[in-house]
Amino acid sequence: MSVREPGDPAEDRVPGVLTPQRHSSGWRTAVARKWASRLSSASYIPMSRDAIELCMLELVELIIDALEDPERTDHSGRAVGTRLVEIHATGEDSLTLSLDLIRDVMVADAADESVHRMLGLLTAIAAGYAAADRESTFVQQETLKRALLRSKLQADRDLAASEARFGEVFTTTPIGVAICDLTGKFVQVNPALGETLGYRSQDFGSMTVHDLFHPEDAKYLTAAYAELAEGGRTQRLRERRRLLRADGETAWAYLAVSVLKGADGAPAHFVTMVEDISELHLLQERFQYQALHDAMTGLPNRQFFRTRLEAALGNLPKDAKLTLYHLGLDGFELINDGLGHEVGDGIIKAVARRLEQLIQREEAILARFGGTEFAVLVLESPRTPPVHEFAPMINEELAEPIYVGEHGIATSASIGVVQRCAGDGDAANMLWAADVALRRAEAAGKRQWALFDPDRAPDERTQAKLAAVMPGGLELGEFDVVYRPVVQLGDSKLIAIEAELSWETGEFGRLDHADCLRLAERSGVTLSLRDWILGSAWEQLARWHRAGHRPPLVVGLSPNQAADPDLVGTIRRVLDDGSLEASWLRVSMPMRVMLGDNDEARDNVRFLDRLGVRTALHGFHASPGELRYLRDLPVDIIQFADDVVRLVRDSAEDSPEVEAVKRFVPLVRSCGRLLAVGDVDSVEQARRWHEMGCEVGAGALYGGPVPSIEVPNLLAQLASEN
């Protein structure tokens, strides 16, 4: 027998089982490498190539040892076969490739008796390989069997635990749960469902889920369950619905319904979860009621009233006639200030009850809009009193004294009225129109009512729009201060410059001083506008004085501006710059704000006098009541009201009206006051007023309001004319 190196030519073979070359490590490594290569191509061995070659080298060593020692042939052969299986060289051709390789590199001459030893080795390897492969297969089967057994046991335990958990949750959850078949018959019901609806557990045996539905919701819920059973678009139902308790009472519940499918995937059962939300529903209803009703009187509020008005306009026949009365209680601040807000609240409640009694025979709704304002919407019928009767009926009802404790208090209301047919009405427009009519009624005095005049609607809407945008106009610098001369009527000598407001509105043109003050009273910028004109005009006056022009400054105020408790503080801050003496400023107050109980306005006049600021009164109507206050107030000029000036201008000199005014002039002058008039636009008017005893005048005759930049020229012109 001869052997050769792996890959050596046949002629290199050397007799004998082993040659000295077989002892070389290089040869053994080459055999191990070739063996590893063949095995790697025949099966997947989860080892690196180097690790496989190292393992094969160990097997080559075993084979050489077996060939050298016949007693070790069987043991080593089996060890080689076993090792091949252990490293997973178990591919279909792995054993054949291994035996062929061993034969080729180890055996050269079949006649040699050592071939028997080689065959024994190969047989041992094959036997060892087969035994190891059988063992490996058995181990794998046992391992798989144990794994399957463990998995089944774990699944059984998990299932038991899951069923236990489900049973615990099903039994103890506070939410009612019912499982029923597709006909609605109960299969399983937890205790919470019985407690929620007041049923005993045995009651459900003869019932279906449909027996729990409230009659008004039964049709919808039955159809919803049927759709779920048919596998409709949705597989779940989430609804707030009414159910019936065992005692027949209604229970509001949140329903969550799902479908349970059978083994074939078809719907088999319903799972219905019921959460009692009756208390939550009642609470939400209470919140909704509070959101739509006045807390003090329980009447609907403005929001609810408007919703009802919109519904009436949308649902009533087009020719149905609706009348909206908007009420504002007169002088209510006197009750709050004089008797306290608790008494005022009692009056508000009593008024609400009386108005309810007044309309109880009508198809009407009464609401409180807040504060001292109420609204009544009446659907006109043949028995409904006409507006000219119903509006006075309201005040007759309120005139009866309301007793709060020891106080019997009579109230009255100003009323704005608007009428519409349902087909012609718009809720927002009706509310606005009624408010406009109310303001006109309030301007006419107490206990008055006014019907909305559509011919005046465009003007009213314009005025409302201007009042709404006025604050923004002030912030954007749309206002200017203009000035007009105030002169002596006798010789037209300048005695002061009067500052006035001018507002360039863009869309509605330029507004004069009187319009600005009137709108400011509605818009809420009255005081801001006053502070701005005082500061701006005083700074301008200081510049004119530095330029050599030294006229005094007059600034006229509105009633709210004059009665403001902070007026004196504002003027003191204006004067604090020290540029001019306080005597260069004259503040003109409205005469009507000095009358009655308005102590604040009269105190402002006295405090300004102590500061050195001169004061005047405008809007004088020559009444005895006004004369009484002239003696008590430190003012130096009294200006006739514009309507008095127009009366004199439009009347003959010997008319009773003019004679009455003439008689008052000496009385005013006896108080040490000068008399002034505005709107003097002709020489004849100036002469007439001067002959009546008036010393001061202003108007177009002496120059209209001009911007500050033109004032120096105006002053120079007046100076040259004198």
Side-chain angles (χ1 to χ4, degrees):
M1 180 181 296
S2 64
V3 295
R4 59 181 176 84
E5 290 283 337
D8 287 349
E11 55 269 23
D12 291 337
R13 293 177 181 170
V14 180
V17 175
L18 293 174
T19 68
Q21 291 179 337
R22 302 305 189 261
H23 293 286
S24 67
S25 60
W27 181 86
R28 298 180 183 188
T29 300
V31 172
R33 185 178 297 114
K34 190 170 185 178
W35 196 356
S37 177
R38 291 187 179 185
L39 288 180
S40 296
S41 64
S43 60
Y44 170 72
I45 301 175
M47 299 170 62
S48 67
R49 185 59 179 269
D50 292 342
I52 297 174
E53 291 180 2
L54 183 60
C55 183
M56 294 302 101
L57 182 60
E58 294 175 355
L59 298 184
V60 170
E61 297 289 348
L62 285 174
I63 291 171
I64 292 174
D65 290 344
L67 292 176
E68 291 179 346
D69 186 356
E71 294 181 359
R72 300 179 58 184
T73 299
D74 184 69
H75 178 270
S76 296
R78 289 180 179 274
V80 171
T82 300
R83 183 59 176 157
L84 289 174
V85 173
E86 289 176 351
I87 66 172
H88 300 288
T90 55
E92 183 177 352
D93 298 327
S94 296
L95 179 60
T96 302
L97 291 174
S98 297
L99 295 178
D100 288 346
L101 175 68
I102 295 171
R103 181 198 61 199
D104 291 342
V105 300
M106 298 295 181
V107 180
D109 187 358
D112 197 296
E113 64 179 22
S114 60
V115 170
H116 295 288
R117 191 183 311 167
M118 176 59 67
L119 292 176
L121 175 63
L122 295 178
T123 301
I125 291 174
Y129 183 93
D133 190 38
R134 287 194 303 273
E135 179 67 19
S136 174
T137 301
F138 176 77
V139 170
Q140 291 177 6
Q141 290 174 343
E142 288 298 314
T143 300
L144 179 60
K145 185 188 298 182
R146 287 193 295 271
L148 290 174
L149 181 59
R150 285 196 300 270
S151 178
K152 182 179 184 305
L153 292 175
Q154 184 63 41
D156 291 342
R157 286 194 294 269
D158 291 344
L159 178 61
S162 177
E163 290 177 346
R165 286 194 297 269
F166 172 78
E168 181 68 17
V169 171
F170 187 82
T171 303
T172 62
T173 180
I175 297 176
V177 182
I179 300 175
C180 60
D181 61 22
L182 297 185
T183 67
K185 184 178 181 180
F186 291 110
V187 176
Q188 191 174 4
V189 177
N190 74 341
L193 184 62
E195 294 172 3
T196 298
L197 300 178
Y199 291 99
R200 298 171 300 175
S201 58
Q202 57 268 30
D203 294 337
F204 291 104
S206 59
M207 297 173 61
T208 68
V209 71
H210 304 284
D211 296 325
L212 303 181
F213 300 159
H214 190 278
E216 295 182 15
D217 288 340
K219 183 177 180 180
Y220 171 82
L221 289 174
T222 299
Y225 271 73
E227 184 179 359
L228 288 176
E230 293 170 0
R233 288 179 298 174
T234 177
Q235 292 298 307
R236 294 180 179 84
L237 175 67
R238 301 288 187 272
E239 295 279 352
R240 286 188 176 192
R241 291 291 168 179
R242 288 167 291 184
L243 301 179
L244 284 179
R245 299 184 190 275
D247 58 6
E249 294 294 323
T250 299
W252 277 92
Y254 180 77
L255 295 182
V257 185
S258 301
V259 174
L260 292 179
K261 295 183 178 181
D264 58 355
H269 293 88
F270 293 120
V271 176
T272 302
M273 290 185 286
V274 178
E275 182 179 2
D276 187 3
I277 58 169
S278 297
E279 292 185 3
L280 176 62
H281 179 76
L282 292 175
L283 184 61
Q284 289 176 334
E285 281 192 332
R286 182 61 182 169
F287 284 156
Q288 184 177 17
Y289 180 88
Q290 292 175 346
L292 297 176
H293 290 76
D294 173 56
M296 182 184 299
T297 63
L299 296 177
N301 60 15
R302 179 187 290 270
Q303 179 184 350
F304 190 20
F305 185 86
R306 176 167 179 162
T307 301
R308 293 289 297 274
L309 175 58
E310 291 173 344
L313 293 172
N315 299 326
L316 289 173
K318 293 182 182 292
D319 59 350
K321 192 174 183 180
L322 294 168
T323 303
L324 174 57
Y325 296 86
H326 190 177
L327 288 65
L329 300 183
D330 297 322
F332 203 80
E333 64 277 1
L334 298 178
I335 296 176
N336 282 334
D337 295 343
L339 300 176
H341 287 274
E342 290 186 1
V343 173
D345 292 346
I347 297 297
I348 292 291
K349 295 176 184 177
V351 168
R353 303 290 81 81
R354 290 192 178 186
L355 292 176
E356 285 178 328
Q357 294 175 4
L358 183 64
I359 66 171
Q360 63 183 355
R361 294 184 180 179
E362 301 291 339
E363 189 169 350
I365 178 175
L366 169 66
R368 183 188 179 203
F369 277 10
T372 60
E373 294 188 10
F374 294 82
V376 180
L377 179 66
V378 180
L379 174 60
E380 299 285 345
S381 68
R383 70 173 184 274
T384 302
V387 172
H388 69 272
E389 294 180 8
F390 192 79
M393 286 171 57
I394 294 175
N395 272 314
E396 290 174 7
E397 188 71 27
L398 299 182
E400 185 70 23
I402 299 171
Y403 286 91
V404 180
E406 300 177 354
H407 305 286
I409 303 167
T411 60
S412 65
S414 299
I415 307 169
V417 186
V418 60
Q419 291 184 307
R420 292 282 191 278
C421 288
D424 302 327
D426 172 80
N429 182 269
M430 284 189 70
L431 290 169
W432 171 79
D435 183 70
V436 169
L438 172 60
R439 303 310 161 203
R440 195 173 334 128
E442 290 175 334
K446 297 180 178 180
R447 294 178 59 91
Q448 302 298 310
W449 66 273
L451 191 64
F452 175 71
D453 184 358
D455 294 333
R456 299 177 61 177
D459 290 338
E460 295 284 0
R461 191 171 292 277
T462 296
Q463 295 297 308
K465 182 176 180 179
L466 287 170
V469 302
M470 178 175 268
L474 181 60
E475 288 291 330
L476 295 174
E478 296 175 358
F479 284 84
D480 291 323
V481 182
V482 294
Y483 302 86
R484 68 171 184 169
V486 180
V487 303
Q488 294 181 161
L489 289 177
D491 54 9
S492 300
K493 182 179 180 181
L494 182 73
I495 61 174
I497 287 290
E498 184 174 7
E500 294 187 339
L501 290 165
S502 177
W503 180 19
E504 180 52 63
T505 64
E507 179 183 357
F508 303 104
R510 183 172 290 274
L511 302 185
D512 62 17
H513 184 72
D515 287 336
C516 289
L517 289 184
R518 178 173 48 79
L519 289 172
E521 295 286 323
R522 296 180 61 181
S523 69
V525 297
T526 303
L527 302 183
S528 300
L529 208 56
R530 177 202 66 191
D531 298 350
W532 177 78
I533 190 175
L534 281 170
S536 300
W538 188 251
E539 291 178 4
Q540 185 61 59
L541 182 68
R543 286 193 288 269
W544 290 331
H545 275 239
R546 289 193 294 271
H549 304 288
R550 304 174 65 81
L553 176 68
V554 179
V555 179
L557 303 182
S558 70
N560 283 336
Q561 291 173 344
D564 176 37
D566 195 40
L567 172 63
V568 176
T570 297
I571 293 179
R572 182 182 284 113
R573 288 191 291 272
V574 170
L575 301 176
D576 277 347
D577 65 357
S579 57
L580 296 173
E581 295 293 332
S583 59
W584 289 102
L585 175 63
R586 177 180 280 110
V587 177
S588 182
M589 310 275 209
M591 183 75 223
R592 66 187 179 94
V593 82
M594 300 297 157
L595 306 178
D597 299 326
N598 201 328
D599 294 332
E600 196 70 52
R602 293 191 292 272
D603 288 342
N604 283 339
V605 172
R606 297 186 181 96
F607 285 129
L608 289 176
D609 182 66
R610 295 172 191 171
L611 284 178
V613 176
R614 299 179 181 183
T615 53
L617 296 176
H618 61 266
F620 179 63
H621 286 86
S623 68
E626 293 173 328
L627 290 174
R628 180 170 63 87
Y629 285 101
L630 296 184
R631 299 184 182 277
D632 299 332
L633 296 173
V635 297
D636 55 1
I637 295 179
I638 306 297
Q639 180 176 330
F640 278 112
D642 291 342
D643 54 351
V644 175
V645 175
R646 286 191 295 269
L647 176 67
V648 173
R649 181 185 61 197
D650 299 336
S651 303
E653 289 195 25
D654 58 351
S655 66
E657 293 84 2
V658 174
E659 291 298 325
V661 173
K662 287 181 179 179
R663 285 194 295 270
F664 270 97
V665 171
L667 295 176
V668 175
R669 298 192 65 177
S670 68
C671 298
R673 311 292 190 263
L674 298 178
L675 272 169
V677 292
D679 292 338
V680 179
D681 53 15
S682 69
V683 174
E684 175 60 25
Q685 293 175 25
R687 179 196 61 77
R688 190 173 182 183
W689 281 111
H690 186 250
E691 290 177 354
M692 290 173 61
C694 293
E695 294 91 345
V696 180
L701 177 62
Y702 309 107
V706 297
S708 59
I709 194 173
E710 298 180 18
V711 170
N713 292 336
L714 177 63
L715 296 177
Q717 178 184 346
L718 291 174
S720 64
E721 292 175 356
N722 292 292

